Amino acid sequence: MHQFRLFRGKLEVLWINNGVGAAAIGVVLIAASLLVGPSWGVTSSNLQLCDSNSDTGSVSAAFRRLPPPYGETFFAEKLGLPFLSAYLDSIEPNFRHGANFGASGSTIQPTDAKLFGAGFNPLSLNIQLLQFEQFKDRTKEPFNQAKSSWIKNNLPRPKEFSKALYTLDCGQNDLHFGLSDQNGCIKSYNQLAQEFNKQLKDKVFQLRTQLHHAVLIYVDIYTAKYTLISEAEKQGFVSPLGYCCGHLGVAECWQTSIVNGTEVFAASCSDPSKHISWDGAHYTEAANKWVANHIVDGSLSDPPIPLTKSCHSADIPS
């Protein structure tokens, strides 16, 4: 189990986080400072790390471009935060409001040959943190010397790193990698997720006593997702065990496979909004929107602060 700390805008990993099962994730939001101007509404910079739940183009830029149907639906906009360019994207990125370091298939633990051979991404969390450190250092240099308006319009202000909202949402790939025991039996997804989330919440409580200039908010997405799966049809979705793109045991999303001498193409469904799962691993836009709507009011957060007010000092208890 790793740990992290945030000190004067520097994010250092000592620990991290959460759980996944049929649908279970714990998320930590870190408001690095309470000194947010009243006109901002929310913090002026946002930095996201971890895996495909956050990836806005890192893997597509670093390895291969993802083909359709990926990108058919877009992100929920409930918090009104600007979209973040992937740190690795070299085509007209704009980092004025932050950057995204998340990469699909990434793990908390550093990627070794075994993890890489199993298909996980080499851009593990420790690499993303090195990228963050470089981004912060290289932002200060040109910004302080900038004569070009492009630099000041496309890079965050150096002082904003200590006021930014840091979002960490990861751990599910680590759990997925370790779910089978020596007999090939899958361990309980939900029990494992619940234990990870319990330890995450306990660690957040401990870190609050150490990081007096940061606000750490634990968001219980596990409960939201478990509720959605339990009430799928009631909420307007089809069977929670099905998914929109791909055929279980036959072909992955948008891939072709030969079955009994016949070519089978795993196309996407006609209406993703009716499905909770997009490809058996990731949620659809409709499902993510449902989850967002059920956590944004703060009822599943600790402390119970609406996410839209997570960076307002007047609303954060001491």
Side-chain angles (χ1 to χ4, degrees):
M1 183 73 66
H2 296 67
Q3 295 185 355
F4 70 82
R5 65 184 178 189
L6 185 66
F7 181 66
R8 294 180 180 173
K10 181 178 181 181
L11 189 63
E12 300 177 340
V13 166
L14 309 164
W15 152 90
I16 277 214
N17 110 48
N18 59 42
V20 67
I25 307 171
V27 174
V28 174
L29 302 178
I30 309 172
S33 173
L34 305 183
L35 304 176
V36 180
S39 62
W40 286 104
V42 293
T43 186
S44 54
S45 290
N46 180 14
L47 297 106
Q48 299 175 341
L49 300 96
C50 292
D51 53 32
S52 56
N53 284 339
S54 305
D55 190 348
T56 58
S58 293
V59 166
S60 185
F63 301 107
R64 62 181 177 86
R65 187 174 183 181
L66 294 178
Y70 294 98
E72 284 185 353
T73 56
F74 212 50
F75 311 101
E77 301 173 319
K78 190 70 176 181
L79 295 181
L81 296 172
F83 296 132
L84 300 182
S85 295
Y87 171 71
L88 295 178
D89 194 352
S90 61
I91 308 299
E92 297 185 353
N94 187 322
F95 301 121
R96 175 63 191 87
H97 296 284
N100 186 293
F101 301 88
S104 300
S106 294
T107 54
I108 293 170
Q109 56 191 312
T111 306
D112 56 15
K114 191 173 182 180
L115 279 167
F116 185 72
F120 292 99
N121 196 315
L123 299 174
S124 48
L125 185 58
N126 62 318
I127 301 298
Q128 294 178 33
L129 288 163
L130 291 174
Q131 292 174 340
F132 165 73
E133 288 294 326
Q134 181 178 189
F135 176 67
K136 185 177 70 171
D137 292 341
R138 295 186 67 184
T139 293
K140 292 179 180 179
E141 297 166 6
F143 192 90
N144 293 335
Q145 304 171 12
K147 295 182 180 179
S148 166
S149 60
W150 185 92
I151 290 178
K152 296 203 172 186
N153 289 334
N154 288 273
L155 293 177
R157 276 59 170 163
K159 65 181 181 180
E160 291 173 354
F161 283 93
S162 64
K163 303 178 181 180
L165 178 67
Y166 296 81
T167 306
L168 296 97
D169 176 3
C170 55
Q172 45 266 25
N173 289 325
D174 299 81
L175 293 181
H176 176 73
F177 180 69
L179 279 174
S180 297
D181 65 15
Q182 65 272 20
N183 298 314
C185 298
I186 296 178
K187 301 172 185 176
S188 171
Y189 280 38
N190 288 321
Q191 288 181 0
L192 185 61
Q194 289 167 358
E195 178 60 25
F196 261 67
N197 286 327
K198 176 182 179 297
Q199 293 190 32
L200 170 62
K201 191 171 183 179
D202 291 344
K203 191 60 65 174
V204 168
F205 179 81
Q206 294 176 24
L207 288 173
R208 285 182 184 137
T209 65
Q210 303 170 27
L211 305 177
H212 302 293
H213 297 290
V215 175
L216 280 75
I217 302 174
Y218 172 86
V219 183
D220 181 13
I221 295 184
Y222 177 95
T223 295
K225 288 189 172 183
Y226 194 87
T227 300
L228 174 58
I229 286 180
S230 301
E231 303 177 356
E233 295 185 7
K234 179 181 177 181
Q235 300 300 329
F237 293 92
V238 297
S239 171
L241 300 181
Y243 49 92
C244 176
C245 193
H247 299 297
L248 181 64
V250 177
E252 295 182 358
C253 180
W254 221 247
Q255 300 295 314
T256 300
S257 181
I258 303 297
V259 180
N260 297 326
T262 302
E263 187 176 88
V264 176
F265 177 67
S268 59
C269 62
S270 60
D271 188 359
S273 68
K274 296 296 184 182
H275 292 262
I276 292 177
S277 178
W278 163 249
D279 57 5
H282 305 95
Y283 275 32
T284 60
E285 167 70 4
N288 277 323
K289 182 177 180 180
W290 190 96
V291 171
N293 286 337
H294 285 75
I295 65 172
V296 74
D297 65 354
S299 60
L300 295 177
S301 297
D302 181 13
I305 301 166
L307 298 189
T308 52
K309 298 181 179 180
S310 61
C311 291
H312 288 267
S313 60
D315 297 308
I316 307 290
S318 59

